[in-house]
Each structure stands twice: as C-alpha cells, then as structure tokens.
Amino acid sequence: MANAGEFPLENRAPAAAEAFEAAAIARPKVAVDTVLFAVDAQGLKCYLLQLGRGPNAGKWAFAGGLVRVGETLDGAARRALRDASGLTDTYLEQLFSFGDPSRDPTAHVVSVAYMALIDNPGRVGAASSKYSAGRWFAAGDLPELAYDHSLMADYAVARLRAKLEYTNIACALLPSCFTFAELEEVYAAALERPLDRRNFRRRIMAMDLLQRMPEQRRGAHRPAALYAFKHRSVRAIQML
Amino acid sequence: MANAGEFPLENRAPAAAEAFEAAAIARPKVAVDTVLFAVDAQGLKCYLLQLGRGPNAGKWAFAGGLVRVGETLDGAARRALRDASGLTDTYLEQLFSFGDPSRDPTAHVVSVAYMALIDNPGRVGAASSKYSAGRWFAAGDLPELAYDHSLMADYAVARLRAKLEYTNIACALLPSCFTFAELEEVYAAALERPLDRRNFRRRIMAMDLLQRMPEQRRGAHRPAALYAFKHRSVRAIQML
DNA sequence: CCAAAAGTGTTGAGTATACACCCATGA
DNA sequence: TCATGGGTGTATACTCAACACTTTTGG
C-alpha cells in the first residue's frame, strides 16, 4: 500500500537522512487550482482557461499555479484566481488535495483544489499571458479538461450542492439585493431540479437569514420585493 | 490579498521562468499527518506520538512525514502511519490541507491532514526511532500539540462526528462482530452524548446496514445478539 | 432470587410535501 | 385588457423524540 522500502530515506540514520534531505530537490511541488462558479440565466457556470503553453497547451483548465514559499494556500489560490480573471474579492473555500504522481505528466505536483463563487459571470476580466483564452461553460457540460481537473469539477459541484442545503452559501452567488425568484434560481441551477416556490419561500423564511429591503425591483410586470442576507459571511445554519 | 508582485516568477517570460524554476529549490514541502482514532470503554481516543528530535522534540504530534516524489498522498499517509504505529490496514480519509507558512517554524511545509480509524486501540505497535513515545489520549483532553496539530484534531473530530450521522463509518471503529450496545457506545463516545437505546436501534435497523450473526455474545448476564455490517466499505447512506 | 444488561411499542409534535389561484404591474 | 411574473395557505404523510417495562442469563 505504502510503497514499502522503495524510498528508504526515512529509515536512514538521522544525520544521513538530514544531509540527504538538505540536498534533495526531488520533492513534490505544491499547486492550487480553483473552480470558479457563477449562476446566470442558463444555470450554473464554471470558468475555464485555455492553457497557452506546456504539454497541455490548448486544453481547458481551472485557474491555478504553484504555491510559493511564504504564501498561504488561500493566498496562492487568490493570486492564481486574480491572475486568471482579475477577481480579487470572492468567496473561497478549500475542497480537497489531489496528489496522484501521474496527475501531471511533467512532474509530481500536489494540487490543493479550491472553489470560488461570484455573483455575476460578467465580473471576470483579462487573464494573464499564461492562458490563451478564458470563458464560462455550463457546469454540467464541461469540455475535456487538463490534468485531473474533471475530478476537481465533480468534487466542487458536489460540495456546492451540499453546502446550499445546510449553509447560507447562496449569498456568495447573489448580489447584495435580490428577489426571491433570483434566490430560487440559484438553488434550482445548482441542484439541477425545480423547487416548489411556496415551500422554498417558507423554508428560507423559517431560517431567518434575510432582511427585506425597502425598495422593490420594478420590471415589465408586478414588482418584486428585494431582500438581502442579514449576514454575508457563510456560516452553517442550525437545522433543528 | 495575494502578495501582489512580491514573487514575480509567474510573470517572467516563459523560458526565463522555466530556467529559474529548474534551479529553484525554494518550494514548500508537502507532508501528511494522520489523526488516528479508536474507541474504548473510556470513550473516543486519539493516538499521539512524542517527537524525538527537531525543534519540537518532546512535544506530542500525530503520525506524519514528508511526501516523496512518486508517492500518492494516501500512500504517504499509510506509510507514515505504519512507521508510527505498525498499522497497515486502516480506514483512511483525507481531511484538509494546512499551508500556513508559519505552521512549521523551520520550513514552509504544506501538510495534508488525514483521519484513520481502527477498531481496537490495542492494535498499535512500536513506533520508528523518529518518535520517543506513543500513547492514546482522550480525544477531548489532548495535551499541547506540535505545529498546528490542534487544528487538525478539531477538524478530525468534527468530520468523524458528521460522518457518523450520514455514513456507515462506524464499521471502521468496530470489530467484524459486535453487539448493538457496542455500536451504540461508539456513537455515544464520538458524539459525546447519550442516545436513546430504542430510537437508536430503530434508526440503525431502518438503514438496513447490519446482518444478524448466528452466534450470541455470552457474558455475565443475558446474552446479546451479534451483528456485522453488510458492507465493510464506508459509503454514504441515502437519507431520503 | 437477585443483579445486570438485553430487548421491545406507542404516542404526540413537528416537519416536509403536494398542490392552484389571485395580484400587481407595464405594455 | 392581457400577458407575465409575484405572491400566498392548507391538508396530509412522514419523521423524530420522548418515554418504562419485561426478558434472559450467571452468580
């Protein structure tokens, strides 16, 4: 299971092991990759970048990069996301670490996967020269992805769905003011199923997460009441 | 937020960046640390090892070690656990990655935390020379730990509790045959609250996870029926 | 026969689901 | 006035929690 005896480093006498270790540069690298989500009228979307160089040039991937010495993982994820999309203020959550030595054919890179959420796909900006293109894809219909990014996508969608059920994470996918219909659309898009409007409204109201804003959203038809989350920080909701 | 401009590596021309990168050994290292749990008559227990060398010598910590090139994260966790406790077959689950640059004062080490479960604290064996001692502690009363291992402990306990509620993970904390009272003790120990025996039995039975064994456990009093999990692999239980 | 752990049902409260019509507005 | 999306209540099924006594065995 654990490559018995293949790498005898840890079994050497302490002094020898430390000397070897100091000289060794053959350590896995650490990277971060961030699955960026937003919801629009078509449903849940993922932002992908087309790699501009390297053995995977031309393939689509999530925003990522190597972690630097002195940098936190969250910091590296924010930097990679900013370089890829210009975004600086997003909800960010660590998902899982992927360390299969063959996930990157060029080197052993352990990647810490993140999920980021924004309220509007239009907020993304220009990508760094590392990428040749960037665009939104329907989360349920992604193209072939570089590395093991398909695994990350599956993991991220599952986590997002789970957290919609027991946290107020939807606030990260909505602007500060929104109608009940918009909130329901976020849930319907992420969960990929329609919700009963009356039951949904009752459930959300029972959680006491929202405050009603004085204004109304005026459109082509009956105006809709506007709401805001009482707390914009994501927290678990007591589900007693 | 993301150390803007402090590390210009990614912004260099590709050729220069690659040359620099090849020479650079200033990358964070990758480690794994495994929180080992078992339940005994006193409750939920964690296995800790006393560090025998290094700046944290004398402090208690979880079994861990650096990840080697070519090794999976799970493989590294299993190897570190085997070196620390002799255990080779445990339930193992990745928890979270901790990457604060100051978590280890001697170097920037990103650690992927794992949780391992065994059915009997007595199964642990001798530790490698890296450690000066190893013993079980009550999970709710751990000593001061090295690095950020207290964070890992909190995270692991939370994960274990959560998964007891919606998976059959308890099978990893029990021998192949057990009485209903023993199963209930595992839940009560991990959740740190007493359970109603009748409601607990009904809930478990409704999940259809157990099969009754032909034998009985004979003790000082009325014999107890023995059960085994139908599936020893941990899986989510449909909670419809 | 006594001590100790094993085993067993019912009731009531609360929660979740299914379901259809009127309202307010702009065009 | 009509088309469109906004807003509302009830009845039922189900789930969860509280609760105490009888059974079986070894000593």
Side-chain angles (χ1 to χ4, degrees), chain B residues 31-38 45-51 59-66 77 80-81 83-85 95 98 103 111-116 127 130-131 133-157:
Chain B
V32 290
D33 288 293
T34 302
V35 183
L36 175 62
F37 286 114
K45 297 296 191 73
C46 275
Y47 194 69
L48 293 176
L49 295 134
Q50 196 166 34
L51 298 172
K59 283 198 185 165
W60 294 93
F62 296 115
L66 293 174
L81 190 60
D83 290 349
S85 68
L95 298 175
F98 294 83
R103 59 177 291 281
S111 180
V112 184
Y114 276 80
M115 162 173 89
K130 177 177 170 182
Y131 304 107
R135 55 168 277 229
W136 290 96
F137 289 80
D141 188 28
L142 299 181
E144 192 194 351
L145 300 183
Y147 312 113
D148 51 2
H149 285 201
S150 295
L151 281 178
M152 292 183 186
D154 294 345
Y155 200 101
V157 169

Short mmCIF file of all heavy atoms in Angstrom, two decimals, chain B residues 31-38 45-51 59-66 77 80-81 83-85 95 98 103 111-116 127 130-131 133-157:
data_model
loop_
_atom_site.label_atom_id
_atom_site.label_comp_id
_atom_site.label_asym_id
_atom_site.label_seq_id
_atom_site.Cartn_x
_atom_site.Cartn_y
_atom_site.Cartn_z
N ALA B 31 3.76 17.47 3.26
CA ALA B 31 3.76 16.43 4.28
C ALA B 31 2.34 15.90 4.45
O ALA B 31 1.38 16.46 3.91
CB ALA B 31 4.29 16.99 5.60
N VAL B 32 2.23 14.81 5.16
CA VAL B 32 0.92 14.31 5.59
C VAL B 32 0.97 14.12 7.10
O VAL B 32 2.02 13.86 7.68
CB VAL B 32 0.58 12.96 4.92
CG1 VAL B 32 0.30 13.12 3.45
CG2 VAL B 32 1.68 11.94 5.16
N ASP B 33 -0.18 14.27 7.73
CA ASP B 33 -0.32 13.99 9.17
C ASP B 33 -1.64 13.28 9.37
O ASP B 33 -2.65 13.69 8.79
CB ASP B 33 -0.30 15.29 9.97
CG ASP B 33 1.08 15.91 10.01
OD1 ASP B 33 1.96 15.30 10.64
OD2 ASP B 33 1.28 16.99 9.41
N THR B 34 -1.62 12.24 10.18
CA THR B 34 -2.81 11.40 10.31
C THR B 34 -3.30 11.34 11.75
O THR B 34 -2.56 10.93 12.65
CB THR B 34 -2.51 9.98 9.81
OG1 THR B 34 -2.08 10.05 8.46
CG2 THR B 34 -3.75 9.11 9.90
N VAL B 35 -4.54 11.75 11.93
CA VAL B 35 -5.18 11.68 13.24
C VAL B 35 -5.81 10.29 13.36
O VAL B 35 -6.73 9.96 12.63
CB VAL B 35 -6.27 12.76 13.36
CG1 VAL B 35 -6.89 12.74 14.74
CG2 VAL B 35 -5.72 14.13 13.02
N LEU B 36 -5.25 9.50 14.27
CA LEU B 36 -5.71 8.12 14.43
C LEU B 36 -6.70 8.04 15.59
O LEU B 36 -6.39 8.49 16.70
CB LEU B 36 -4.51 7.22 14.70
CG LEU B 36 -4.79 5.76 15.02
CD1 LEU B 36 -5.49 5.05 13.87
CD2 LEU B 36 -3.48 5.04 15.36
N PHE B 37 -7.88 7.49 15.30
CA PHE B 37 -8.93 7.37 16.32
C PHE B 37 -9.22 5.91 16.62
O PHE B 37 -9.14 5.04 15.73
CB PHE B 37 -10.25 7.97 15.83
CG PHE B 37 -10.29 9.47 15.77
CD1 PHE B 37 -10.40 10.13 14.56
CD2 PHE B 37 -10.26 10.22 16.94
CE1 PHE B 37 -10.48 11.51 14.49
CE2 PHE B 37 -10.34 11.60 16.89
CZ PHE B 37 -10.44 12.25 15.67
N ALA B 38 -9.63 5.67 17.86
CA ALA B 38 -10.24 4.40 18.24
C ALA B 38 -11.17 4.69 19.41
O ALA B 38 -11.07 5.74 20.04
CB ALA B 38 -9.19 3.36 18.61
N LYS B 45 -10.68 7.99 21.56
CA LYS B 45 -9.26 8.19 21.83
C LYS B 45 -8.51 8.58 20.56
O LYS B 45 -8.87 8.15 19.46
CB LYS B 45 -8.63 6.89 22.36
CG LYS B 45 -9.20 6.40 23.69
CD LYS B 45 -8.92 7.39 24.79
CE LYS B 45 -9.23 6.83 26.15
NZ LYS B 45 -8.29 5.83 26.60
N CYS B 46 -7.43 9.37 20.77
CA CYS B 46 -6.51 9.78 19.70
C CYS B 46 -5.12 9.26 20.03
O CYS B 46 -4.69 9.39 21.18
CB CYS B 46 -6.38 11.29 19.67
SG CYS B 46 -7.60 12.15 18.75
N TYR B 47 -4.43 8.78 19.02
CA TYR B 47 -3.08 8.28 19.26
C TYR B 47 -2.07 9.38 18.93
O TYR B 47 -2.07 9.92 17.82
CB TYR B 47 -2.79 7.06 18.39
CG TYR B 47 -1.55 6.31 18.82
CD1 TYR B 47 -1.53 5.62 20.02
CD2 TYR B 47 -0.41 6.32 18.03
CE1 TYR B 47 -0.40 4.92 20.42
CE2 TYR B 47 0.72 5.63 18.42
CZ TYR B 47 0.73 4.94 19.62
OH TYR B 47 1.85 4.24 20.02
N LEU B 48 -1.24 9.70 19.90
CA LEU B 48 -0.23 10.75 19.70
C LEU B 48 1.17 10.17 19.86
O LEU B 48 1.37 9.20 20.60
CB LEU B 48 -0.42 11.86 20.74
CG LEU B 48 -1.69 12.68 20.61
CD1 LEU B 48 -1.78 13.68 21.76
CD2 LEU B 48 -1.71 13.40 19.27
N LEU B 49 2.10 10.81 19.18
CA LEU B 49 3.50 10.41 19.26
C LEU B 49 4.31 11.58 19.77
O LEU B 49 4.05 12.73 19.41
CB LEU B 49 3.97 9.99 17.87
CG LEU B 49 3.23 8.74 17.42
CD1 LEU B 49 2.73 8.88 16.01
CD2 LEU B 49 4.09 7.51 17.62
N GLN B 50 5.30 11.25 20.59
CA GLN B 50 6.17 12.29 21.11
C GLN B 50 7.36 12.43 20.18
O GLN B 50 8.05 11.44 19.90
CB GLN B 50 6.62 11.93 22.52
CG GLN B 50 7.20 13.10 23.28
CD GLN B 50 7.32 12.81 24.76
OE1 GLN B 50 7.59 11.67 25.16
NE2 GLN B 50 7.13 13.82 25.59
N LEU B 51 7.61 13.62 19.71
CA LEU B 51 8.69 13.84 18.75
C LEU B 51 10.02 13.68 19.46
O LEU B 51 10.24 14.22 20.55
CB LEU B 51 8.57 15.23 18.13
CG LEU B 51 7.28 15.44 17.34
CD1 LEU B 51 7.13 16.89 16.90
CD2 LEU B 51 7.26 14.52 16.12
N LYS B 59 7.45 17.40 22.22
CA LYS B 59 6.02 17.70 22.03
C LYS B 59 5.31 16.51 21.41
O LYS B 59 5.91 15.68 20.73
CB LYS B 59 5.86 18.93 21.14
CG LYS B 59 6.13 20.24 21.87
CD LYS B 59 5.53 21.41 21.12
CE LYS B 59 5.89 22.73 21.78
NZ LYS B 59 5.64 23.86 20.89
N TRP B 60 4.01 16.48 21.62
CA TRP B 60 3.19 15.43 21.04
C TRP B 60 2.65 15.86 19.68
O TRP B 60 2.37 17.03 19.45
CB TRP B 60 2.03 15.09 21.97
CG TRP B 60 2.47 14.48 23.26
CD1 TRP B 60 2.72 15.14 24.42
CD2 TRP B 60 2.72 13.09 23.51
NE1 TRP B 60 3.12 14.25 25.39
CE2 TRP B 60 3.11 12.98 24.86
CE3 TRP B 60 2.65 11.93 22.73
CZ2 TRP B 60 3.44 11.76 25.46
CZ3 TRP B 60 2.96 10.72 23.33
CH2 TRP B 60 3.36 10.64 24.66
N ALA B 61 2.49 14.88 18.79
CA ALA B 61 2.02 15.18 17.44
C ALA B 61 1.38 13.93 16.85
O ALA B 61 1.50 12.84 17.40
CB ALA B 61 3.18 15.63 16.56
N PHE B 62 0.70 14.12 15.75
CA PHE B 62 0.15 12.98 15.03
C PHE B 62 1.22 12.37 14.13
O PHE B 62 2.22 13.02 13.81
CB PHE B 62 -1.06 13.41 14.20
CG PHE B 62 -2.19 13.90 15.05
CD1 PHE B 62 -2.62 15.22 15.01
CD2 PHE B 62 -2.83 13.03 15.93
CE1 PHE B 62 -3.65 15.66 15.82
CE2 PHE B 62 -3.86 13.47 16.74
CZ PHE B 62 -4.27 14.78 16.69
N ALA B 63 0.98 11.14 13.70
CA ALA B 63 1.92 10.47 12.81
C ALA B 63 1.99 11.22 11.49
O ALA B 63 0.96 11.48 10.88
CB ALA B 63 1.48 9.02 12.58
N GLY B 64 3.18 11.55 11.07
CA GLY B 64 3.29 12.30 9.82
C GLY B 64 4.66 12.16 9.20
O GLY B 64 5.55 11.52 9.76
N GLY B 65 4.81 12.76 8.05
CA GLY B 65 6.09 12.74 7.37
C GLY B 65 5.97 13.37 6.01
O GLY B 65 4.86 13.64 5.53
N LEU B 66 7.11 13.62 5.40
CA LEU B 66 7.12 14.27 4.09
C LEU B 66 6.65 13.30 3.01
O LEU B 66 6.88 12.09 3.10
CB LEU B 66 8.52 14.76 3.77
CG LEU B 66 9.02 15.91 4.65
CD1 LEU B 66 10.48 16.22 4.35
CD2 LEU B 66 8.17 17.16 4.44
N ALA B 77 0.41 8.82 3.67
CA ALA B 77 -0.26 8.78 4.97
C ALA B 77 -0.19 7.37 5.54
O ALA B 77 0.05 7.18 6.74
CB ALA B 77 -1.71 9.24 4.82
N ALA B 80 3.41 6.75 6.75
CA ALA B 80 3.72 7.45 8.00
C ALA B 80 3.02 6.77 9.18
O ALA B 80 3.58 6.65 10.26
CB ALA B 80 3.29 8.91 7.89
N LEU B 81 1.79 6.32 8.92
CA LEU B 81 1.05 5.66 10.00
C LEU B 81 1.68 4.32 10.35
O LEU B 81 1.78 3.95 11.52
CB LEU B 81 -0.41 5.48 9.55
CG LEU B 81 -1.39 5.02 10.61
CD1 LEU B 81 -1.45 6.02 11.76
CD2 LEU B 81 -2.79 4.85 10.00
N ASP B 83 4.85 3.51 9.97
CA ASP B 83 6.11 3.76 10.68
C ASP B 83 5.86 4.17 12.13
O ASP B 83 6.69 3.91 13.00
CB ASP B 83 6.89 4.87 9.98
CG ASP B 83 7.44 4.42 8.63
OD1 ASP B 83 7.38 3.20 8.36
OD2 ASP B 83 7.90 5.27 7.86
N ALA B 84 4.74 4.81 12.37
CA ALA B 84 4.50 5.33 13.72
C ALA B 84 3.78 4.33 14.61
O ALA B 84 3.83 4.45 15.83
CB ALA B 84 3.69 6.62 13.62
N SER B 85 3.07 3.38 13.99
CA SER B 85 2.20 2.53 14.81
C SER B 85 2.16 1.08 14.35
O SER B 85 1.50 0.27 14.98
CB SER B 85 0.78 3.09 14.77
OG SER B 85 0.26 2.92 13.46
N LEU B 95 -8.64 14.85 5.07
CA LEU B 95 -9.46 15.86 5.73
C LEU B 95 -9.33 17.23 5.11
O LEU B 95 -10.30 17.81 4.62
CB LEU B 95 -9.07 15.97 7.20
CG LEU B 95 -9.27 14.73 8.06
CD1 LEU B 95 -8.71 14.98 9.45
CD2 LEU B 95 -10.74 14.38 8.12
N PHE B 98 -3.29 22.04 5.34
CA PHE B 98 -2.89 23.19 6.15
C PHE B 98 -1.60 23.74 5.57
O PHE B 98 -0.61 23.01 5.48
CB PHE B 98 -2.71 22.76 7.59
CG PHE B 98 -4.00 22.33 8.24
CD1 PHE B 98 -4.47 21.03 8.07
CD2 PHE B 98 -4.76 23.21 8.98
CE1 PHE B 98 -5.67 20.63 8.66
CE2 PHE B 98 -5.95 22.82 9.55
CZ PHE B 98 -6.42 21.53 9.40
N ARG B 103 3.32 27.54 10.12
CA ARG B 103 2.87 26.41 10.93
C ARG B 103 4.04 25.54 11.38
O ARG B 103 3.98 24.90 12.42
CB ARG B 103 1.82 25.57 10.20
CG ARG B 103 2.27 24.96 8.89
CD ARG B 103 1.18 24.09 8.28
NE ARG B 103 0.97 22.89 9.07
CZ ARG B 103 1.75 21.82 9.02
NH1 ARG B 103 2.79 21.78 8.23
NH2 ARG B 103 1.48 20.77 9.77
N SER B 111 0.86 20.68 4.87
CA SER B 111 0.53 19.35 5.35
C SER B 111 -0.90 18.97 5.01
O SER B 111 -1.84 19.73 5.28
CB SER B 111 0.72 19.25 6.86
OG SER B 111 0.39 17.94 7.27
N VAL B 112 -1.04 17.80 4.43
CA VAL B 112 -2.36 17.26 4.12
C VAL B 112 -2.77 16.38 5.30
O VAL B 112 -2.11 15.38 5.59
CB VAL B 112 -2.32 16.43 2.82
CG1 VAL B 112 -3.72 15.96 2.45
CG2 VAL B 112 -1.69 17.25 1.70
N ALA B 113 -3.83 16.79 5.98
CA ALA B 113 -4.26 16.06 7.18
C ALA B 113 -5.18 14.91 6.80
O ALA B 113 -6.02 15.04 5.92
CB ALA B 113 -4.98 17.00 8.14
N TYR B 114 -4.99 13.79 7.48
CA TYR B 114 -5.82 12.61 7.29
C TYR B 114 -6.40 12.18 8.62
O TYR B 114 -5.89 12.52 9.68
CB TYR B 114 -4.98 11.45 6.73
CG TYR B 114 -4.81 11.49 5.24
CD1 TYR B 114 -3.86 12.31 4.65
CD2 TYR B 114 -5.60 10.71 4.41
CE1 TYR B 114 -3.70 12.35 3.27
CE2 TYR B 114 -5.45 10.73 3.04
CZ TYR B 114 -4.50 11.56 2.47
OH TYR B 114 -4.36 11.59 1.12
N MET B 115 -7.46 11.38 8.51
CA MET B 115 -8.03 10.72 9.68
C MET B 115 -7.97 9.22 9.42
O MET B 115 -8.27 8.77 8.31
CB MET B 115 -9.48 11.20 9.79
CG MET B 115 -10.38 10.36 10.64
SD MET B 115 -11.99 11.18 10.85
CE MET B 115 -12.90 10.57 9.42
N ALA B 116 -7.55 8.45 10.43
CA ALA B 116 -7.56 7.00 10.32
C ALA B 116 -8.36 6.43 11.47
O ALA B 116 -8.38 7.00 12.55
CB ALA B 116 -6.13 6.45 10.34
N ALA B 127 6.74 2.29 17.43
CA ALA B 127 6.98 3.43 16.55
C ALA B 127 8.41 3.44 16.07
O ALA B 127 9.29 2.81 16.68
CB ALA B 127 6.66 4.73 17.28
N LYS B 130 12.04 7.85 15.02
CA LYS B 130 11.71 9.27 14.90
C LYS B 130 10.97 9.77 16.13
O LYS B 130 11.01 10.96 16.45
CB LYS B 130 10.85 9.44 13.64
CG LYS B 130 10.33 10.81 13.33
CD LYS B 130 9.57 10.77 12.00
CE LYS B 130 8.80 12.04 11.72
NZ LYS B 130 8.04 11.94 10.45
N TYR B 131 10.28 8.84 16.80
CA TYR B 131 9.46 9.22 17.94
C TYR B 131 10.04 8.62 19.22
O TYR B 131 10.60 7.53 19.21
CB TYR B 131 8.03 8.72 17.75
CG TYR B 131 7.39 9.20 16.46
CD1 TYR B 131 7.19 8.34 15.39
CD2 TYR B 131 6.99 10.53 16.33
CE1 TYR B 131 6.61 8.78 14.21
CE2 TYR B 131 6.42 10.98 15.16
CZ TYR B 131 6.22 10.10 14.10
OH TYR B 131 5.65 10.55 12.94
N ALA B 133 8.05 8.29 22.04
CA ALA B 133 6.96 7.61 22.76
C ALA B 133 5.69 7.71 21.95
O ALA B 133 5.58 8.53 21.03
CB ALA B 133 6.75 8.24 24.14
N GLY B 134 4.74 6.87 22.30
CA GLY B 134 3.42 6.93 21.65
C GLY B 134 2.37 6.41 22.60
O GLY B 134 2.61 5.44 23.31
N ARG B 135 1.25 7.08 22.71
CA ARG B 135 0.17 6.58 23.55
C ARG B 135 -1.16 7.21 23.17
O ARG B 135 -1.22 8.18 22.42
CB ARG B 135 0.46 6.80 25.04
CG ARG B 135 0.77 8.23 25.44
CD ARG B 135 0.75 8.37 26.97
NE ARG B 135 -0.61 8.55 27.40
CZ ARG B 135 -1.02 9.52 28.23
NH1 ARG B 135 -0.15 10.37 28.73
NH2 ARG B 135 -2.30 9.61 28.57
N TRP B 136 -2.21 6.60 23.73
CA TRP B 136 -3.57 7.09 23.45
C TRP B 136 -3.96 8.16 24.46
O TRP B 136 -3.65 8.04 25.65
CB TRP B 136 -4.56 5.92 23.55
CG TRP B 136 -4.42 4.93 22.43
CD1 TRP B 136 -3.71 3.78 22.46
CD2 TRP B 136 -5.00 5.01 21.13
NE1 TRP B 136 -3.81 3.13 21.26
CE2 TRP B 136 -4.60 3.87 20.43
CE3 TRP B 136 -5.82 5.95 20.48
CZ2 TRP B 136 -4.98 3.63 19.11
CZ3 TRP B 136 -6.20 5.70 19.17
CH2 TRP B 136 -5.79 4.56 18.51
N PHE B 137 -4.68 9.16 23.97
CA PHE B 137 -5.23 10.22 24.82
C PHE B 137 -6.73 10.31 24.56
O PHE B 137 -7.19 10.05 23.44
CB PHE B 137 -4.61 11.57 24.47
CG PHE B 137 -3.17 11.72 24.88
CD1 PHE B 137 -2.16 11.17 24.11
CD2 PHE B 137 -2.83 12.41 26.02
CE1 PHE B 137 -0.82 11.31 24.47
CE2 PHE B 137 -1.50 12.56 26.40
CZ PHE B 137 -0.50 12.00 25.63
N ALA B 138 -7.46 10.72 25.57
CA ALA B 138 -8.88 11.01 25.36
C ALA B 138 -8.99 12.14 24.34
O ALA B 138 -8.30 13.16 24.44
CB ALA B 138 -9.53 11.43 26.67
N ALA B 139 -9.85 11.95 23.34
CA ALA B 139 -9.93 12.91 22.24
C ALA B 139 -10.33 14.30 22.75
O ALA B 139 -9.95 15.31 22.16
CB ALA B 139 -10.92 12.44 21.19
N GLY B 140 -11.06 14.35 23.84
CA GLY B 140 -11.50 15.64 24.34
C GLY B 140 -10.51 16.28 25.30
O GLY B 140 -10.76 17.38 25.80
N ASP B 141 -9.37 15.66 25.51
CA ASP B 141 -8.44 16.16 26.50
C ASP B 141 -7.01 15.91 26.03
O ASP B 141 -6.23 15.21 26.69
CB ASP B 141 -8.71 15.46 27.85
CG ASP B 141 -7.90 16.07 28.98
OD1 ASP B 141 -7.59 17.27 28.89
OD2 ASP B 141 -7.58 15.35 29.94
N LEU B 142 -6.66 16.49 24.88
CA LEU B 142 -5.33 16.29 24.33
C LEU B 142 -4.35 17.25 24.97
O LEU B 142 -4.72 18.36 25.36
CB LEU B 142 -5.36 16.52 22.81
CG LEU B 142 -6.27 15.59 22.01
CD1 LEU B 142 -6.18 15.90 20.53
CD2 LEU B 142 -5.91 14.13 22.27
N PRO B 143 -3.08 16.85 25.07
CA PRO B 143 -2.06 17.78 25.58
C PRO B 143 -1.77 18.84 24.51
O PRO B 143 -2.34 18.80 23.42
CB PRO B 143 -0.86 16.86 25.79
CG PRO B 143 -1.03 15.78 24.78
CD PRO B 143 -2.52 15.57 24.66
N GLU B 144 -0.89 19.74 24.83
CA GLU B 144 -0.46 20.71 23.83
C GLU B 144 0.22 19.97 22.68
O GLU B 144 1.02 19.07 22.93
CB GLU B 144 0.52 21.71 24.47
CG GLU B 144 0.78 22.92 23.60
CD GLU B 144 2.01 23.71 24.08
OE1 GLU B 144 2.52 23.40 25.18
OE2 GLU B 144 2.45 24.60 23.35
N LEU B 145 -0.10 20.34 21.47
CA LEU B 145 0.43 19.60 20.32
C LEU B 145 1.40 20.45 19.52
O LEU B 145 1.35 21.69 19.53
CB LEU B 145 -0.72 19.17 19.41
CG LEU B 145 -1.76 18.25 20.04
CD1 LEU B 145 -2.80 17.84 19.01
CD2 LEU B 145 -1.12 17.03 20.67
N ALA B 146 2.30 19.77 18.81
CA ALA B 146 3.27 20.45 17.97
C ALA B 146 2.59 21.03 16.73
O ALA B 146 1.47 20.63 16.38
CB ALA B 146 4.36 19.46 17.53
N TYR B 147 3.27 21.97 16.09
CA TYR B 147 2.77 22.57 14.85
C TYR B 147 1.34 23.07 15.04
O TYR B 147 1.02 23.62 16.10
CB TYR B 147 2.86 21.56 13.70
CG TYR B 147 4.19 20.87 13.60
CD1 TYR B 147 4.32 19.50 13.85
CD2 TYR B 147 5.35 21.58 13.25
CE1 TYR B 147 5.54 18.87 13.76
CE2 TYR B 147 6.58 20.95 13.16
CZ TYR B 147 6.67 19.60 13.42
OH TYR B 147 7.87 18.98 13.33
N ASP B 148 0.51 22.83 14.02
CA ASP B 148 -0.90 23.22 14.13
C ASP B 148 -1.77 21.98 14.32
O ASP B 148 -2.91 21.93 13.87
CB ASP B 148 -1.33 23.99 12.88
CG ASP B 148 -0.97 23.23 11.60
OD1 ASP B 148 -0.44 22.10 11.70
OD2 ASP B 148 -1.23 23.76 10.51
N HIS B 149 -1.20 20.98 15.00
CA HIS B 149 -1.93 19.72 15.10
C HIS B 149 -3.20 19.81 15.93
O HIS B 149 -4.08 18.96 15.80
CB HIS B 149 -0.99 18.61 15.61
CG HIS B 149 -0.03 18.14 14.54
ND1 HIS B 149 0.60 16.93 14.58
CD2 HIS B 149 0.38 18.72 13.40
CE1 HIS B 149 1.38 16.80 13.52
NE2 HIS B 149 1.27 17.88 12.79
N SER B 150 -3.31 20.84 16.77
CA SER B 150 -4.58 21.01 17.49
C SER B 150 -5.71 21.34 16.53
O SER B 150 -6.83 20.86 16.67
CB SER B 150 -4.46 22.14 18.52
OG SER B 150 -3.53 21.79 19.49
N LEU B 151 -5.41 22.17 15.54
CA LEU B 151 -6.39 22.47 14.50
C LEU B 151 -6.83 21.19 13.79
O LEU B 151 -8.01 20.97 13.54
CB LEU B 151 -5.79 23.40 13.45
CG LEU B 151 -5.69 24.88 13.75
CD1 LEU B 151 -5.01 25.60 12.59
CD2 LEU B 151 -7.08 25.43 13.97
N MET B 152 -5.84 20.38 13.46
CA MET B 152 -6.15 19.12 12.76
C MET B 152 -7.04 18.24 13.63
O MET B 152 -7.97 17.60 13.14
CB MET B 152 -4.86 18.36 12.43
CG MET B 152 -4.00 19.04 11.40
SD MET B 152 -2.55 18.01 11.00
CE MET B 152 -1.67 19.16 9.92
N ALA B 153 -6.75 18.21 14.93
CA ALA B 153 -7.53 17.37 15.84
C ALA B 153 -8.98 17.85 15.85
O ALA B 153 -9.92 17.04 15.75
CB ALA B 153 -6.93 17.41 17.24
N ASP B 154 -9.18 19.15 15.95
CA ASP B 154 -10.54 19.69 15.96
C ASP B 154 -11.26 19.33 14.66
O ASP B 154 -12.43 18.92 14.66
CB ASP B 154 -10.50 21.22 16.10
CG ASP B 154 -9.96 21.65 17.45
OD1 ASP B 154 -9.89 20.80 18.35
OD2 ASP B 154 -9.61 22.83 17.60
N TYR B 155 -10.55 19.51 13.56
CA TYR B 155 -11.15 19.22 12.26
C TYR B 155 -11.53 17.75 12.15
O TYR B 155 -12.60 17.39 11.67
CB TYR B 155 -10.15 19.61 11.17
CG TYR B 155 -10.78 19.82 9.82
CD1 TYR B 155 -11.04 21.09 9.35
CD2 TYR B 155 -11.13 18.73 9.02
CE1 TYR B 155 -11.63 21.29 8.12
CE2 TYR B 155 -11.73 18.92 7.79
CZ TYR B 155 -11.97 20.20 7.35
OH TYR B 155 -12.57 20.38 6.12
N ALA B 156 -10.63 16.90 12.64
CA ALA B 156 -10.87 15.46 12.52
C ALA B 156 -12.07 15.02 13.37
O ALA B 156 -12.91 14.23 12.92
CB ALA B 156 -9.62 14.69 12.95
N VAL B 157 -12.17 15.55 14.58
CA VAL B 157 -13.29 15.18 15.43
C VAL B 157 -14.61 15.64 14.79
O VAL B 157 -15.59 14.89 14.76
CB VAL B 157 -13.13 15.79 16.85
CG1 VAL B 157 -14.40 15.64 17.64
CG2 VAL B 157 -11.97 15.13 17.57
#
